[in-house]
Amino acid sequence: MKRTCNLLLFIAISHVVSSPVSMTETSGEPYQCMQEVTISDYANANGLEISQVACPNGHFCDEPNIRDLYGYDSTNSITYIKLFFTIVREDDSTNPAITPQILDQQMQQLNDDFLPYGIQYEYNWRYYESSYFRVFSAPSYFSCDSMRQVMYVSPETQYNVIATHLINPGNSWTTNPTLFDPMGYRSGSIMSTNPLGAQFTGDLSRHVFSHELGHVFGLIHTYWGYNELASCINMCAENLATGSSDFAGDRCSDTPPERWWSGETFAGAGLDSCSGLAWPIYPNKNHMNISIYGANKLFSPQQVSRIYCYMEDYWQHIIAGVRMSADTTFGKAPFTVNFSGWSDKNVNSWFWDFGDGDTSVVQNPQHQFDTPGVYTIETNINSNEGEYTQIKNSYILVHDDTVKTIELTSSPGDTVLLPISMTNFIPVTKMTIPVTFTGIMALTVLDVSTEGTRAETSTSTIVNYDSFNKRYTFILETPFGEPVNPDTGIVAYMKIIVPSGPPDSLSVSVSPYSSYDVLNEYYDNVYTPVTSGSYLIRSGCCENIRGNIDGDALDQVDISDLVYYVDYSFGSPQGPAPSCYEEADVDNNGSLDIADIVYLVSYMFSGGPVPMSCF
């Protein structure tokens, strides 16, 4: 299977778009890369405006329900990112690709663009003398390997950007972090000063550098322009008919299905080919847009969440000021965690907030979480350079979950729903639930249902059905990104037929047996919850004394009951079974047989004893 080559190109004003052609990386692994076609060809290709089916997820940040756990609001602190620029100039130290003054202007605009989203950039720079690389022909991203290998400085601690002049085709290049080691020499950006490329010059109108830094954090171009995912070609990005930006194709776009978020490239294009709806006409507004007018202005809320999600997973090493880590992030209460703090500043003081009301002022604290739950951790430093804070949302997961059955009383012959309840303190994506019934009463398990429960979107599968030993195991699994959130309540019902018979009960326990363990899972985190049991009770239907075999409303024992019983026992064809087993068990010996008929005859005609009490 070919992997998608998410090499994210930005061509600001050239009338080109992309479709995939095969290309092989130096390692020999095939990728899907880009071939230029005219914008008119692209506009005439039906089906590229919206999506009828979702594109496959390439990373957990692609899943809306995971992505949206991240994000920024104005109460959060600023996150600082470290950039390092290498400005290429001639061998004689002349003709730099950009001047320090232009770089400073670009950085001011970059920080202005990202400030509403809680991100700021710190940077250093240097010159690199090389006439060979000062104007460089780069037909592919991989052609630049030699340049990056000699120019990158400490990619394990900062994000590298090279400023030069690329020709053929003249694009700026930024890699999607899912493809390459974020700490390696392929993880950075090459900003071209070619006027047909990113225009990394004094022209700030296109906000190009903000666009390229969006790529760093996993963003791709909005659907109304480029489509770099081979799996999405001839599909679309969002469904105009739904009005939901999370309905389909989120890997293709993180913007609402309106041209307002995209571009004016195809303004007035008429009807959307998939929904038949008219495209509204709006000015381009998104940083990740591609159009003849460039990229500018805003990130969507979905894009901001994706930025923070990718930052958490890929880019911790380029965060400046202060960073935190933990020796473990998942465990059972009480749960002890050793935290470590790092800073590249001259630190005067440390402060930690563990999210449970406790704090610390040491650099590397140890903390015990006594109560299960999901904890957001914050660390802050006061330094000679100012205050820096890092917050990791939902960083520590502490479990102490319980899974149990709920007692249920039934009548003979009923089909009942036996509830399975769970108390979970962290999100759960998969549950393995073995259930054992202990007692002499037989029963039949028909199915497992989640309808009307906390886990209603889950699929249920019975993976073991041992009717002889009355043992059953089923698995509940949620759709990706839709966990069962922390709460208490029913997660499943076992649909059971309770046989006719005298009052009885079965002990019902959620407990492991054979190779089947009780397990809860939250993606890669697997743990065993506490379990408990209850009873499935078969209640009685008998009232007062036994013998009302025909079930008359006055609860009388008379000749009609005897006739009913004889017809059931000896009739040809056989008469109907008694509706209440206990009423027909006149002598209370646990079975329906000739002795019950003899007992009734003696009682009715020979002055024999009264039928046995129901109680």
Side-chain angles (χ1 to χ4, degrees):
M1 177 182 292
K2 287 190 174 182
R3 293 172 57 191
T4 303
C5 177
N6 294 4
L7 301 182
L8 300 168
L9 317 181
F10 178 67
I11 305 175
I13 62 172
S14 57
H15 289 212
V16 296
V17 295
S18 300
S19 60
V21 295
S22 179
M23 178 174 178
T24 302
E25 188 191 7
T26 306
S27 65
E29 183 176 3
Y31 285 75
Q32 289 287 77
C33 292
M34 303 302 114
Q35 171 180 301
E36 296 178 7
V37 296
T38 66
I39 208 164
S40 59
D41 290 340
Y42 182 85
N44 292 330
N46 292 327
L48 294 180
E49 297 98 341
I50 67 167
S51 174
Q52 300 179 66
V53 293
C55 295
N57 290 320
H59 184 266
F60 66 79
C61 294
D62 296 329
E63 174 56 50
N65 290 285
I66 298 296
R67 177 201 66 202
D68 292 344
L69 295 175
Y70 300 85
Y72 173 78
D73 64 50
S74 59
T75 63
N76 291 351
S77 58
I78 299 296
T79 297
Y80 291 87
I81 304 296
K82 295 176 67 175
L83 303 181
F84 188 85
F85 291 86
T86 296
I87 301 173
V88 183
R89 60 183 179 179
E90 304 289 350
D91 292 338
D92 61 2
S93 300
T94 62
N95 188 28
I98 57 172
T99 65
Q101 292 76 20
I102 290 176
L103 176 59
D104 185 64
Q105 292 172 5
Q106 291 282 357
M107 288 303 303
Q108 288 183 35
Q109 183 181 76
L110 180 71
N111 280 326
D112 287 345
D113 286 347
F114 274 83
L115 182 60
Y117 314 110
I119 296 173
Q120 292 289 272
Y121 295 90
E122 299 181 349
Y123 77 101
N124 286 307
W125 63 274
R126 66 163 183 163
Y127 286 121
Y128 188 91
E129 283 73 30
S130 174
S131 296
Y132 175 73
F133 287 126
R134 178 59 188 86
V135 178
F136 188 62
S137 178
S140 76
Y141 180 81
F142 307 107
S143 306
C144 299
D145 278 1
S146 58
M147 181 193 303
R148 292 191 298 268
Q149 284 177 314
V150 299
M151 293 189 192
Y152 276 10
V153 176
S154 303
E156 70 278 2
T157 61
Q158 57 195 359
Y159 188 82
N160 276 257
V161 181
I162 298 172
T164 187
H165 184 102
L166 296 178
I167 57 175
N168 187 25
N171 307 315
S172 289
W173 301 87
T174 297
T175 56
N176 187 304
T178 62
L179 291 181
F180 304 111
D181 174 14
M183 297 186 187
Y185 72 88
R186 281 183 171 170
S187 64
S189 297
I190 302 174
M191 299 297 296
S192 176
T193 58
N194 189 321
L196 294 180
Q199 297 204 4
F200 194 56
T201 64
D203 182 0
L204 301 177
S205 63
R206 292 169 173 79
H207 298 248
V208 169
F209 199 30
S210 300
H211 173 101
E212 290 300 324
L213 267 294
H215 286 324
V216 173
F217 295 109
L219 303 184
I220 66 172
H221 300 138
T222 53
Y223 67 89
W224 204 250
Y226 273 61
N227 188 328
E228 289 119 322
L229 297 174
S231 58
C232 298
I233 295 296
N234 297 322
M235 296 164 54
C236 312
E238 302 291 357
N239 195 324
L240 183 66
T242 67
S244 169
S245 55
D246 290 331
F247 181 77
D250 241 80
R251 194 179 180 192
C252 295
S253 180
D254 278 314
T255 54
E258 302 171 346
R259 189 175 299 136
W260 184 78
W261 280 104
S262 298
E264 296 173 305
T265 303
F266 303 111
L271 299 181
D272 162 58
S273 61
C274 297
S275 68
L277 300 177
W279 283 103
I281 297 178
Y282 297 99
N284 61 316
K285 195 160 186 173
N286 192 266
H287 280 304
M288 304 313 295
N289 170 54
I290 300 296
S291 80
I292 61 175
Y293 303 102
N296 61 0
K297 298 184 180 177
L298 294 176
F299 291 118
S300 71
Q302 299 97 326
Q303 288 171 322
V304 175
S305 292
R306 186 186 293 270
I307 286 171
Y308 276 91
C309 186
Y310 269 80
M311 189 187 302
E312 175 70 26
D313 196 46
Y314 285 104
W315 296 116
Q316 288 294 301
H317 62 285
I318 63 172
I319 293 177
V322 63
R323 298 201 297 266
M324 75 173 82
S325 62
D327 64 341
T328 179
T329 60
F330 176 83
K332 187 179 187 301
F335 181 51
T336 299
V337 180
N338 293 300
F339 292 95
S340 298
W342 173 93
S343 179
D344 58 350
K345 308 301 180 183
N346 296 310
V347 179
N348 299 317
S349 63
W350 287 84
F351 180 81
W352 292 78
D353 185 337
F354 301 113
D356 60 356
D358 287 344
T359 60
S360 176
V361 293
V362 301
Q363 180 176 353
N364 302 310
Q366 182 183 85
H367 183 68
Q368 178 173 293
F369 295 87
D370 295 316
T371 304
V374 180
Y375 294 95
T376 292
I377 310 300
E378 177 176 344
T379 186
N380 170 274
I381 63 165
N382 181 285
S383 72
N384 294 344
E385 295 89 340
E387 288 195 4
Y388 293 84
T389 300
Q390 184 180 33
I391 298 174
K392 289 196 174 184
N393 293 309
S394 306
Y395 187 46
I396 303 297
L397 304 175
V398 184
H399 65 85
D400 193 17
D401 298 2
T402 59
V403 181
K404 65 179 183 179
T405 58
I406 296 177
E407 186 171 293
L408 180 67
T409 299
S410 65
S411 298
D414 282 356
T415 299
V416 298
L417 296 175
L418 177 68
I420 308 293
S421 178
M422 178 176 70
T423 296
N424 60 306
F425 296 92
I426 66 174
V428 175
T429 55
K430 184 177 180 180
M431 295 149 274
T432 302
I433 304 177
V435 179
T436 299
F437 298 83
T438 304
I440 63 171
M441 183 171 66
L443 77 164
T444 302
V445 176
L446 298 177
D447 197 4
V448 174
S449 172
T450 60
E451 184 177 355
T453 74
R454 297 175 51 218
E456 187 162 19
T457 61
S458 303
T459 57
S460 60
T461 307
I462 295 179
V463 294
N464 180 254
Y465 190 105
D466 182 358
S467 59
F468 180 79
N469 292 302
K470 303 187 184 75
R471 304 187 303 190
Y472 311 86
T473 297
F474 62 92
I475 291 177
L476 304 180
E477 193 158 9
T478 67
F480 186 83
E482 298 181 24
V484 179
N485 289 316
D487 205 345
T488 296
I490 296 169
V491 293
Y493 293 101
M494 296 184 72
K495 189 175 183 180
I496 298 170
I497 296 177
V498 179
S500 297
D504 199 356
S505 65
L506 290 173
S507 172
V508 186
S509 62
V510 177
S511 58
Y513 67 85
S514 185
S515 61
Y516 299 98
D517 293 321
V518 185
L519 298 174
N520 276 4
E521 301 180 31
Y522 182 55
Y523 299 109
D524 294 334
N525 299 306
V526 182
Y527 60 101
T528 300
V530 176
T531 62
S532 61
S534 61
Y535 290 91
L536 173 60
I537 300 171
R538 180 171 60 194
S539 64
C541 51
C542 186
E543 300 179 17
N544 301 313
I545 63 171
R546 300 167 189 266
N548 182 20
I549 300 169
D550 64 354
D552 72 73
L554 298 178
D555 194 30
Q556 294 178 337
V557 180
D558 52 29
I559 190 67
S560 62
D561 296 298
L562 181 59
V563 171
Y564 193 105
Y565 208 152
V566 170
D567 188 35
Y568 165 67
S569 301
F570 304 108
S572 182
Q574 183 182 25
S579 61
C580 179
Y581 187 99
E582 299 162 80
E583 292 279 4
D585 185 15
V586 180
D587 59 1
N588 193 24
N589 71 350
S591 63
L592 305 186
D593 51 30
I594 190 63
D596 297 303
I597 296 177
V598 172
Y599 197 110
L600 277 177
V601 170
S602 175
Y603 164 64
M604 292 178 184
F605 302 109
S606 303
V610 174
M612 303 290 289
S613 170
C614 292
F615 307 104

